[in-house]
Amino acid sequence: MEELVIATHNKHKAEEIKRLLDGKIKIVTLNELGCKEEIPEEGETLKENALQKAQYVWDKYHKNCFADDTGLMVDALNGEPGVYSARYAGEHCSFDDNIDLLLDNMEGKTNRNARFETVICLIEDGKARYFEGKCEGSILTERYGRGGFGYDPIFMPKGYGESFAELSTEEKNKISHRGKATAELIKYLLK
């Protein structure tokens, strides 16, 4: 496979995946494809959302593509924000809005265990295949670091003393949920 569409408008996500693929496969973003519309995410699971996004691109453009969906599951909040992680604080919220709401909801909670989960759906010649990754950790009481995106400033991976936002991109990609799922995708693509 020479070219693959990444079904996202999130430039941080696209840059992270391009870096992980290291030029071995040309990644085409939705903007480069000319797709300006927001792709629906109406599933109740990460897997359903990843499939819905990839299927949308396949149906409209007939190009091999992949989409991922990621959720932050917090034990003390019964798995929230989960599938709603990107829009936890509302439909047009910012990363900071989501973090503020999560920190407010964690106020007074002693169990700070959480995990990031990513599901990637690859549609190759019309057939769906899935790749998954998880990263266990905990929710910090305030923001640390300036790197990364999303919940990275308040998520500390297990076995580390720093938030995702304090780690280098290379270090984060080795241990992150998306890094693990993408490694499985790359292994499949380059076999």
Side-chain angles (χ1 to χ4, degrees):
M1 185 182 307
E2 294 176 14
E3 188 176 280
L4 193 56
V5 175
I6 178 171
T8 185
H9 286 293
N10 182 326
K11 68 177 185 171
H12 300 289
K13 198 182 285 187
E15 287 166 10
E16 202 171 277
I17 297 217
K18 279 182 179 181
R19 221 179 349 264
L20 288 167
L21 282 168
D22 195 29
K24 292 179 176 90
I25 293 172
K26 182 182 180 204
I27 295 297
V28 177
T29 65
L30 289 178
N31 286 340
E32 292 166 338
L33 193 61
C35 177
K36 304 291 185 209
E37 61 268 26
E38 283 299 315
I39 297 176
E41 282 184 67
E42 300 158 342
E44 293 185 20
T45 66
L46 300 176
K47 189 173 184 178
E48 287 173 7
N49 278 342
L51 173 62
Q52 184 177 23
K53 291 187 281 188
Q55 193 70 52
Y56 180 93
V57 171
W58 174 259
D59 290 345
K60 186 164 182 175
Y61 299 98
H62 302 290
K63 294 203 176 267
N64 290 332
C65 61
F66 70 98
D68 80 314
D69 199 28
T70 294
L72 175 63
M73 285 62 172
V74 180
D75 290 355
L77 302 178
N78 299 314
E80 284 185 10
V83 74
Y84 303 105
S85 294
R87 52 194 182 281
Y88 189 47
E91 202 54 45
H92 301 289
C93 62
S94 68
F95 292 146
D96 283 331
D97 295 336
N98 286 333
I99 289 173
D100 290 342
L101 179 59
L102 184 65
L103 290 176
D104 286 349
N105 289 341
M106 288 297 290
E107 192 72 40
K109 304 262 194 273
T110 53
N111 177 359
R112 307 210 54 103
N113 294 334
R115 82 199 140 285
F116 270 117
E117 296 182 14
T118 292
V119 176
I120 294 175
C121 176
L122 168 70
I123 295 190
E124 184 180 27
D125 301 324
K127 294 187 185 83
R129 189 178 299 273
Y130 298 92
F131 307 89
E132 299 182 25
K134 291 182 183 176
C135 184
E136 300 287 338
S138 58
I139 301 299
L140 299 165
T141 56
E142 59 186 271
R143 291 168 175 83
Y144 292 93
R146 295 173 185 244
F149 62 96
Y151 296 94
D152 287 358
I154 61 166
F155 182 81
M156 184 170 60
K158 194 173 186 174
Y160 285 74
E162 300 167 300
S163 75
F164 262 171
E166 294 175 290
L167 297 176
S168 71
T169 303
E170 292 72 26
E171 188 65 26
K172 178 188 168 193
N173 286 341
K174 285 181 198 165
I175 63 166
S176 79
H177 46 294
R178 188 173 294 110
K180 291 174 183 174
T182 304
E184 292 300 312
L185 172 68
I186 292 167
K187 197 188 313 177
Y188 171 77
L189 292 172
L190 301 179
K191 69 177 181 179

